[in-house]
């Protein structure tokens, strides 16, 4: 199987770690606690300058649902134009109607703006009412892949639906399994889902270097530890890729081979 590995990167630092760990591409996002929002132009330009692997960016003006107003669509279209000018390789988008269907007029507009970039329909797919109908419509828009957890909280939990979607797509579009993918489950996920593309973050918690803090002042939600951040590490990217791609020879087999 010709596997492809995409890292959900929350910074240029995470992008570089993804590259060092052997990933094929990154999806650069801001606002990870909100499910990913459009990164700044400065972050996109810096990532493009420093990366040799493929750079995809999410185009999502806010967290929450995927029902966008005309004003939000205008913003998304402008962000796509800026991202393309910055030299990105791919755009990640997704728009729904109030009824949980694919918003075809909105998607056609954004797909046109994306031009010759690779295009991914993100996990808005997991909130679609009918995933098979949605797949048909997305494939007809000349979109290259769908990121999905199989409409479950994590991809391992949704592997059964992902397998059905892979079979149903019949090569028309790639199904990329993502959410909750790590070094402990990617091998089983690949076997159960039939997916050949995998999306994961491989992040680890890093403590702040601040020596002074004021516990009375919070910059955001009380649920967020502002003196800890999560970044992708090259070691964890490599471990997750190796867990799927390396040949694991049983211990007794190695012993027999060494005795011959």
């Amino acid at each position: 199987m010709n596997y492809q590995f995409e890292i959900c990167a929350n910074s240029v630092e995470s992008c570089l770690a993804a590259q060092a760990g052997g990933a094929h591409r990154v999806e650069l996002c801001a606002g990870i606690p909100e499910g990913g929002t459009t990164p700044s132009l400065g972050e996109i330009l810096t990532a493009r300058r420093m990366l040799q692997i493929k750079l995809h960016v999410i185009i999502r003006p806010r967290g929450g649902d995927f029902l966008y107003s005309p004003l939000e669509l205008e913003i998304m279209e402008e962000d796509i134009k800026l991202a393309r000018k910055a030299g990105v390789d791919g755009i990640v988008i997704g728009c729904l109607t109030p009824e949980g269907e694919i918003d075809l007029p909105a998607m056609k507009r954004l797909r046109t703006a994306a031009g010759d970039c690779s295009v991914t329909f993100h996990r808005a797919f997991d909130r679609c009412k009918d995933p098979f109908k949605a797949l048909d419509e997305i494939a007809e828009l000349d979109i290259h892949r769908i990121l999905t957890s199989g409409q479950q909280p994590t991809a391992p939990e949704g592997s059964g639906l992902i397998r059905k979607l892979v079979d149903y797509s019949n090569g028309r579009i790639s199904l990329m399994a993502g959410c909750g993918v790590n070094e402990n489950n990617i091998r089983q996920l690949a076997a159960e889902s039939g997916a050949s593309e995998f999306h994961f973050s491989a992040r680890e918690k890093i403590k702040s270097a601040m020596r002074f803090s004021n516990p009375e002042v919070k910059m955001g939600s009380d649920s967020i530890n502002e003196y800890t951040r999560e970044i992708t590490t090259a070691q964890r990217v490599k471990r997750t890729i190796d867990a799927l791609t390396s040949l694991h020879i049983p211990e007794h087999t190695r012993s027999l081979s060494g005795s011959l």
Side-chain angles (χ1 to χ4, degrees):
M1 182 74 76
N2 183 25
Y3 294 118
Q4 294 282 306
F5 301 99
E6 175 182 279
I7 303 303
C8 177
N10 59 354
S11 64
V12 176
E13 184 179 7
S14 288
C15 288
L16 294 173
Q19 178 171 269
H24 296 96
R25 64 177 178 267
V26 297
E27 180 199 9
L28 180 58
C29 307
I32 294 296
E34 297 179 276
T37 55
T38 308
S40 74
L41 181 58
E43 190 125 48
I44 295 170
L45 288 167
T46 305
R48 179 68 291 166
R49 186 175 72 250
M50 300 186 76
L51 285 177
Q52 284 76 54
I53 61 175
K54 300 289 186 181
L55 171 62
H56 292 194
V57 297
I58 192 170
I59 303 296
R60 187 176 178 224
R62 57 165 172 78
D65 62 34
F66 302 100
L67 175 63
Y68 297 112
S69 69
L71 178 58
E72 287 173 325
L73 287 171
E74 185 173 341
I75 292 168
M76 294 167 80
E77 193 172 37
E78 291 299 323
D79 279 336
I80 290 173
K81 291 176 183 177
L82 288 171
R84 289 186 65 196
K85 188 175 181 179
V88 305
D89 301 291
I91 298 296
V92 183
I93 51 178
C95 305
L96 301 181
T97 69
E99 292 74 29
E101 307 277 354
I102 302 300
D103 187 338
L104 290 174
M107 285 302 302
K108 287 176 182 177
R109 177 178 175 180
L110 298 182
R111 178 66 188 88
T112 298
D116 58 1
C117 280
S118 177
V119 181
T120 301
F121 193 100
H122 56 49
R123 287 187 63 227
F125 181 83
D126 290 321
R127 292 187 177 178
C128 289
K129 181 167 59 178
D130 183 341
F132 297 96
K133 178 183 177 183
L135 186 151
D136 287 336
E137 293 177 340
I138 294 168
E140 288 176 4
L141 291 171
D142 191 30
I143 288 173
H144 302 91
R145 69 187 57 79
I146 295 170
L147 171 61
T148 179
S149 61
Q151 299 202 327
Q152 295 297 316
T154 68
E157 293 172 274
S159 61
L161 177 59
I162 297 173
R163 165 67 74 174
K164 292 177 182 177
L165 292 166
V166 168
D167 293 341
Y168 181 75
S169 72
N170 195 28
R172 290 177 292 155
I173 191 169
S174 178
L175 276 296
M176 179 165 61
C179 191
V181 179
N182 58 50
E183 59 268 50
N184 299 315
N185 59 31
I186 191 170
R187 197 176 185 94
Q188 183 174 355
L189 174 61
E192 293 180 353
S193 69
S196 61
E197 297 192 50
F198 299 91
H199 172 99
F200 52 95
S201 64
R203 287 193 290 267
E204 298 185 43
K205 289 185 177 180
I206 305 295
K207 289 185 177 180
S208 168
M210 288 293 297
R211 290 190 291 272
F212 169 80
S213 66
N214 182 351
E216 301 303 319
V217 178
K218 298 283 287 187
M219 296 293 112
S221 169
D222 287 339
S223 64
I224 297 175
N225 183 343
E226 295 176 343
Y227 291 92
T228 299
R229 62 194 180 99
E230 294 191 1
I231 62 168
T232 298
T233 64
Q235 295 82 0
R236 196 166 184 207
V237 172
K238 186 176 187 304
R239 284 202 307 268
T240 305
I241 292 173
D242 286 350
L244 179 58
T245 60
S246 63
L247 295 175
H248 295 284
I249 304 174
E251 192 66 39
H252 74 277
T253 304
R254 286 200 296 269
S255 299
L256 287 171
S257 299
S259 65
L260 295 177

